[in-house]
Amino acid sequence: MNNNRVVVITGASSGLGECLYKSFSKSHNVINISRSFSGSENNIVIDLNDLSGLKQNLKLKKFKHDLCILNAATMGSVGPACQITDEEFLEALKTNVLANKIIIDWNISNGCKYFIGISSGAAIKNYDGWLNYCVTKSAFRSMLLQYQKDLPKLNFKLISPGILSTGMNKKIRTLDVSVFPDMNKFHQKPATDPQKASDLIYQKYRDYFRSGESEIDLRNEMEWRD
C-alpha cells in the first residue's frame, strides 16, 4: 500500500459502501470486507454469515490502520414476527451483529482506534414486518455503545444517513403497504443519493470524532440541507 492512511470498510462493493469507497479512496487505501470484490485493490472476500470463515480469513490479515467503517448489513426477510423462522432470524443476527463483533475485535488487535457504525432509524424504532432488521440494528447500536463504554480510549460513532436510493430502498418500495403500512414512509419521502451521504461522512468524520456526540443523524447537518 502506497498511502499511509488506511481505512477498513465493510460492504464496500455496493450501495452506500461503494460510495464510501469512492469518497475515502481519494486519500486512503481502502480495505473492503464483503462477499464480493470492490474497486479497491485490497479485498477480503467472505460471506459475513460464515463466522468461522471470517475469523480464519481475518486471522491471516494484518494491517496497520486507524479507521474502520462498519457499513455492511442485511435487511433479512420481511413478515410478521411469528412467521420469521429461527434460521432467518439467526442469519440476520450473524451478519448485522456477530460478524461486526468479530471485525471490531480484529480491528482493535491491529491498532485501530476509530470506528464508525452505519446506523438506522430502525435501531430505535420498530417497523411493520421488520423483526430481523429492527432487532439486529438495535443490537448493533447497543453493541457499539457498549464498546465505547468499556473502552473509553477508543472512539465509536454511530451515523444514520436516512433514506437512501439503494437496493434496500428498492426492495422496501416493492412491499405491499396494505400489509406493511409503515412502508408508506418510503413512498412519501424522497430517497437521497448515497454518494451525498458518503461524501458528507468523508468531509466531516474528523469533526464527528472530536465532538461529544455518540450518534449523528446526517439529516440534521447543515450541509445536508444545501
Side-chain angles (χ1 to χ4, degrees):
M1 295 183 185
N2 298 321
N3 196 314
N4 289 328
R5 288 190 287 184
V6 180
V7 56
V8 170
I9 302 176
T10 65
S13 57
S14 63
L16 176 60
E18 183 177 14
C19 294
L20 288 165
Y21 160 71
K22 291 176 181 177
S23 297
F24 278 85
S25 62
K26 298 171 187 175
S27 59
H28 290 67
N29 282 300
V30 176
I31 301 167
N32 165 53
I33 303 177
S34 70
R35 61 186 176 185
S36 56
F37 285 90
S38 70
S40 174
E41 296 179 357
N42 307 290
N43 292 276
I44 299 174
V45 179
I46 185 73
D47 189 330
L48 297 187
N49 260 273
D50 180 6
L51 300 183
S52 59
L54 177 63
K55 284 183 180 180
Q56 290 301 316
N57 208 317
L58 291 179
K59 190 181 293 185
L60 301 174
K61 310 292 184 181
K62 297 292 181 182
F63 297 105
K64 183 68 177 177
H65 61 283
D66 288 324
L67 176 63
C68 172
I69 303 177
L70 301 161
N71 160 76
T74 180
M75 183 180 175
S77 52
V78 176
C82 62
Q83 294 180 14
I84 302 298
T85 66
D86 297 347
E87 291 78 14
E88 290 171 327
F89 187 53
L90 181 58
E91 291 295 293
L93 188 65
K94 285 180 180 178
T95 298
N96 294 352
V97 184
L98 298 174
N100 278 302
K101 185 183 188 308
I102 291 169
I103 292 168
I104 290 171
D105 293 345
W106 171 77
N107 276 275
I108 292 173
S109 73
N110 280 287
C112 186
K113 296 181 180 179
Y114 296 90
F115 295 83
I116 293 173
I118 301 301
S119 191
S120 165
I124 57 175
K125 179 182 177 181
N126 289 84
Y127 289 84
D128 298 318
W130 282 20
L131 174 78
N132 284 325
Y133 194 62
C134 289
V135 172
T136 57
K137 289 301 282 187
S138 177
F140 172 74
R141 171 181 177 268
S142 181
M143 180 172 68
L144 262 65
L145 294 175
Q146 188 66 45
Y147 266 86
Q148 183 64 83
K149 188 174 183 63
D150 291 346
L151 301 169
K153 292 184 178 180
L154 302 182
N155 301 272
F156 291 83
K157 300 293 178 182
L158 286 150
I159 298 179
S160 296
I163 300 174
L164 302 179
S165 54
T166 61
M168 178 177 170
N169 181 255
K170 291 178 182 177
K171 178 180 177 181
I172 292 168
R173 289 168 62 88
T174 65
L175 297 172
D176 187 344
V177 295
S178 68
V179 179
F180 307 105
D182 286 339
M183 301 306 102
N184 269 310
K185 168 184 176 180
F186 297 89
H187 292 273
Q188 296 166 353
K189 295 186 177 181
T192 302
D193 183 347
Q195 194 63 55
K196 178 179 179 179
S198 68
D199 285 343
L200 184 54
I201 293 170
Y202 175 67
Q203 175 188 342
K204 300 196 68 173
Y205 77 96
R206 294 182 184 87
D207 295 333
Y208 294 149
F209 282 118
R210 284 192 288 263
S211 77
E213 299 294 325
S214 296
E215 302 183 71
I216 297 100
D217 189 327
L218 293 184
R219 294 166 295 181
N220 295 331
E221 297 295 293
M222 185 179 299
E223 297 87 345
W224 191 259
R225 298 189 288 271
D226 291 343

